[in-house]
Every structure is written in C-alpha cells, then in structure tokens.
Amino acid sequence: MKEFIIKTENLSFSYAKNRKDIKNLSLKVPKGSIYGFLGPNGSGKTTTIRLLLGLLKKNGGVIELFDKTIEKSRIENLGKIGALIENPSLYGNLNALENLKIAANYRGNISKERIEEVLEIVKLSYAKHKKVKAYSLGMKQRLGLAISLLSEPSLLILDEPTNGLDPKGIIEMRELIKELNQNHGTTIFISSHLLSEIEKTCTHVGIIREGEMLFQDTVNALQESQNDTLKIEIETNDVQKVKEVLSTQSLSFEEINDHTITTTVNHKKDITTVIDTIRNHQAEIYQIKIMNNLEELFLSLTEN
Ligand SMILES: Nc1ncnc2c1ncn2[C@@H]1O[C@H](COP(=O)(O)OP(=O)(O)O)[C@@H](O)[C@H]1O
Ligand SMILES: [Mg+2]
C-alpha cells in the first residue's frame, strides 16, 4: 500500500459565512515525493498550508499527517514538520548563527552541531557571522529554510519559496529542495503559481483553482495529459465551410450557432493544421478557444 505523509479528505474552509475558500480538497502526498501544489494567486494555497499546520481551523473534512488525524497528532507532529510560509521572520541586526541559536532555543533539544549542519545544507556557512540585514533575499530565504530544518523534519512545507528571488536565487532554492529530498529523504510539499517551476522540481502535482482540486497525479502524468484530445471552439464567418473542412479531416464537430462550431483534435499541434486548412479554404477565423479546463488554466499558470 502506498504511504501518504499528507492526506486530506473533503477538506473545507471559509473565511466568512457566505463564501467557501477551500472546497472538498482531497490531497494525497506520497512519502518521499516532492509534491507541487500549483494554483493561480488567490486560489487557496496558503490557506491550505495554514490548515495543514493547524494555524487555521477547518470547517469540515479530514486532515491526516503521518497517518494520524491532525487532532490526535498536533504536538508530536511539530518536530516532524518544517515549514516556511511567506517571508521568514528574522532578526536583521543579528547574524545567521545568532538567529539559528534563538530558533534552536525556542524549539529546544537542538545541538550546536545541528546548527552548523543546517548552515552547511543551505550553503550559508561562509556568511554565518554576517548580519542578516546585509543578506540578499535569496540568502534570507535559505536561512529561513535552515531554521525549519533544525529539528530534522521528515516533511517540509514550503509556501512559494522562490517568490521574489532573482534567477540565481531561484536555481539555488530549486537545487536545495532536490538535494534535501534525495540526500535526506525529506518529503517536500511546495506551493507555486508557476507551472514551469513545478515541472522543474517536483515528482507529483496537485492543481487547484478557487479552492478546488482540478488535477492530482505525477508530473509525468500531467505532461502526458497535455497530449490528450482537446476540445476547441472556432468562431468563423462561414460555419458551412468549416464543417466541410473538418469533415475532410475526419474530425467530428458540433454546430453551436451560425458562427460558432466546436471540434475535438488529438494533439495540440493539430490545432495549427486545422486553422491552416480552414484559412486555405477562404473561411475566416475570428477566434479559437480551448475548451479543456486544464489547458485554459495552464495559460494563467505560465504568466508571472
Ligand atoms: N485572512 C484572510 N481573510 C479573508 N480572506 C482571506 C484571508 N487570506 C486569504 N483570503 C482569501 O482566500 C482566498 C485564498 O487565498 P490564499 O490562500 O492566500 O491564496 P494563494 O496562497 O493561493 O494565493 C483568496 O480569495 C484570498 O483573498
Ligand atoms: Mg499564498
């Protein structure tokens, strides 16, 4: 049987009475995975993470972490989970070592060696005596990550850890995440609003929009699904002509009204062929719309 480190069933949450911000969310995060939690801004990623960490109280559903419901395991989970939500709170006037010591005291039971170790892991040993206010944003993020690693967590939850970083910082963070997963076996749950980021880093992916899960599988399966059949809507001045063209290409179609028709193609690249053929037959195309939910969503996930 597959082991899930995070599992939710029909998780729901509302910030106010007349709205639903998280809708029946069922997450499955396999042990040892790098799970990308992908969704546009405002889709509910941070809210979900706060729910997982017990920082918000769910309205319904089940949250299981390490195979135990959150109600039963809150305290024992604290040591097993490291989290980095938005910008880490750091003392700018202190150096990295001092920041880590304060965080270690707060957590208790953290050795001096572990502090040096986490500095090594996030590659900040060289700058450990430097005041944090002189750090770049990327260095601050890595120090935040170091703090979350103090207790040797087996699950790391990172909320948009590359947000605001420059390209170099993004690559460093990405490498670090992979390293932690491979060398330390850490399961990593990472949120992002960028598809490319998730494709580069993750083994698994869950895509949400408006608090609802639209797709959840391996990143490979996601990439394969992008080759699946696509339903497209064509707006034209000559529906009759378009119908003929589609027929000659053995494509089925449905006439929506006198200037709109839908058809289904097997691959994304077939769209170009269809457009070219229609144009060659002197029909005009005013608009092409991809009807597949996920495809439309992808467009919004490729913009910054
Ligand atoms: N503290 C809050 N009070 C009320 N609404 C909130 C609060 N935080 C977030 N929201 C709303 O909840 C929805 C999800 O937000 P969020 O979880 O921050 O999305 P994401 O992290 O994916 O950008 C948005 O509509 C946002 O405006
Ligand atoms: Mg967020």
Side-chain angles (χ1 to χ4, degrees), residues 15 19 21 39-48 159-160:
Y15 281 108
R19 50 189 280 177
D21 295 286
N41 287 326
S43 56
K45 302 181 296 294
T46 302
T47 304
T48 304
D159 192 13
E160 308 231 24

Side-chain angles (χ1 to χ4, degrees), residues 84-91 137 140-145 147:
L84 187 57
I85 312 185
E86 275 139 17
N87 294 325
S89 40
L90 301 166
Y91 299 99
L137 189 60
K140 284 182 190 160
Q141 280 296 82
R142 268 147 58 209
L143 180 55
L145 185 59
I147 291 173

Side-chain angles (χ1 to χ4, degrees), residues 26 38 55 78-79 105 115 125 148 157-158 173 191 210-211 233 248 259 262 268-269 295 299-300 303:
S26 294
L38 180 64
L55 300 172
L78 289 179
N105 277 338
I115 292 179
S125 297
S148 68
I157 296 181
L158 307 173
M173 184 56 80
S191 75
E210 292 172 16
E233 188 181 275
T248 57
H259 47 86
T262 63
K268 217 187 235 167
K269 59 177 165 46
E295 285 294 327
L299 287 180
S300 68
E303 290 151 14

Side-chain angles (χ1 to χ4, degrees), residues 239-288:
V239 164
Q240 214 45 45
K241 196 55 95 14
V242 171
K243 269 159 70 175
E244 283 163 33
V245 170
L246 293 173
S247 299
T248 57
Q249 309 226 330
S250 313
L251 293 170
S252 62
F253 54 80
E254 191 185 343
E255 195 173 330
I256 305 297
N257 54 42
D258 1 321
H259 47 86
T260 316
I261 192 164
T262 63
T263 184
T264 304
V265 296
N266 288 322
H267 291 282
K268 217 187 235 167
K269 59 177 165 46
D270 295 343
I271 298 176
T272 334
T273 321
V274 170
I275 295 173
D276 288 347
T277 322
I278 293 172
R279 289 225 169 103
N280 286 341
H281 284 76
Q282 271 76 48
E284 281 188 55
I285 296 173
Y286 297 135
Q287 195 177 204
I288 291 248

